[in-house]
Amino acid sequence: MANSTAIRDLPPHLRLLAWPAINGRKPLEGVHVSLPAVPSDDPPSVACYSRSVRVEFDAAFQGASAPGALLTAPASAAALAEPLRLVSTLALWDEVVREAGVYGGNIYLASEKSVGQLLRTAHAIAPPSPAELAESLEQLHAMELLYRFPVAYKFRGAHGAERQCRINGWGRLLFRMLNDTDGDRYRIGTARERLARHIQDHRDAYLRGVRAASAADDHAGARIWEEIHEEQPIPVLI
């Protein structure tokens, strides 16, 4: 792989092209991924952080914009369905919350469980298992397509296993690419309608939570955490 690039040196959205190979599946056509030997009990997300993982594209897909075409190619739809659905749903949630006037910035999901609730609401399907979803989010975080970190102390009042997360600018770029393709392979239009209706139905609860979170300090954490889980179907933070 003489012309390969370390995965960490690729633009974040293009790193996703290595996702099938990193997860032990058939690589995308035209994408060659070199993986280092890792302990068998390490999850695939470990490889996403490694500078030893290298990616090379066939000549037909080299150049400034050509690799990006692989992300939206019909042939890639099935192989990348899981991460692309997750990215697009997180980006949609961010947009719908803002368009409804609930919060003008970028909203965080309060935990992995919140992300599961979001997927269920947007797509009317069972989300992945908690362990599988946490691993998928960690891979996207490692690829720098979203922000993910322990829930802020002022929102929890203690350390827990939960991680708050939201889409970032690179994730939104990938979402725009998906949204601009012909057809709607990831049912973005239907998901948008479902999420907009959900926000409208529960707008007051989300507004109360955002206001409380905006005023939170290090002494309010436990109360904020309890209130968002009592009132919000999809618990959010800011």
Side-chain angles (χ1 to χ4, degrees):
M1 298 182 70
N3 297 315
S4 64
T5 303
I7 189 171
R8 302 291 292 173
D9 292 335
L10 288 171
H13 64 305
L14 296 184
R15 298 173 196 175
L16 199 60
L17 294 170
W19 189 90
I22 286 173
N23 284 274
R25 305 181 187 183
K26 182 181 178 181
L28 294 176
E29 186 173 353
V31 181
H32 308 278
V33 183
S34 173
L35 298 169
V38 295
S40 59
D41 57 346
D42 277 350
S45 52
V46 172
C48 298
Y49 286 104
S50 175
R51 294 196 63 83
S52 298
V53 174
R54 302 191 68 84
V55 182
E56 184 174 350
F57 302 108
D58 282 352
F61 300 112
Q62 293 177 12
S65 61
L70 286 167
L71 289 166
T72 57
S76 303
L80 296 176
E82 294 173 45
L84 291 183
R85 181 181 294 112
L86 188 48
V87 167
S88 64
T89 307
L90 288 169
L92 268 178
W93 180 244
D94 200 56
E95 284 190 4
V96 168
V97 167
R98 192 161 43 250
E99 290 167 358
V102 171
Y103 184 61
N106 301 114
I107 202 81
Y108 281 89
L109 280 301
S111 65
E112 292 80 1
K113 186 175 180 180
S114 292
V115 178
Q117 295 281 68
L118 173 64
L119 290 170
R120 189 187 304 275
T121 302
H123 302 287
I125 58 173
S129 71
E132 291 172 336
L133 183 54
E135 171 62 14
S136 293
L137 289 168
E138 186 61 19
Q139 289 185 38
L140 294 176
H141 170 65
M143 292 181 180
E144 299 180 296
L145 291 168
L146 55 80
Y147 297 123
R148 182 172 184 258
F149 50 83
V151 174
Y153 182 81
K154 67 179 181 179
F155 298 138
R156 180 72 189 268
H159 175 69
E162 297 88 354
R163 299 289 186 269
Q164 65 184 83
C165 69
R166 72 166 174 85
I167 200 74
N168 67 14
W170 287 103
R172 286 192 295 273
L173 170 64
L174 178 53
F175 170 69
R176 289 194 297 272
M177 292 172 63
L178 297 174
N179 202 33
D180 290 343
T181 56
D182 294 332
D184 192 1
R185 299 186 200 108
Y186 302 100
R187 300 183 64 82
I188 290 173
T190 300
R192 184 186 293 278
E193 291 175 3
R194 286 180 174 148
L195 292 178
R197 187 163 57 247
H198 171 86
I199 284 289
Q200 205 57 45
D201 291 344
H202 302 280
R203 188 172 185 272
D204 288 347
Y206 287 114
L207 278 172
R208 284 193 295 272
V210 165
R211 288 170 186 148
S214 298
D217 57 30
D218 286 348
H219 304 291
R223 176 179 57 80
I224 298 294
W225 190 250
E226 291 169 2
E227 287 179 355
I228 63 172
H229 284 83
E230 287 175 2
E231 290 202 12
Q232 300 173 359
I234 303 172
V236 299
L237 296 168
I238 63 170

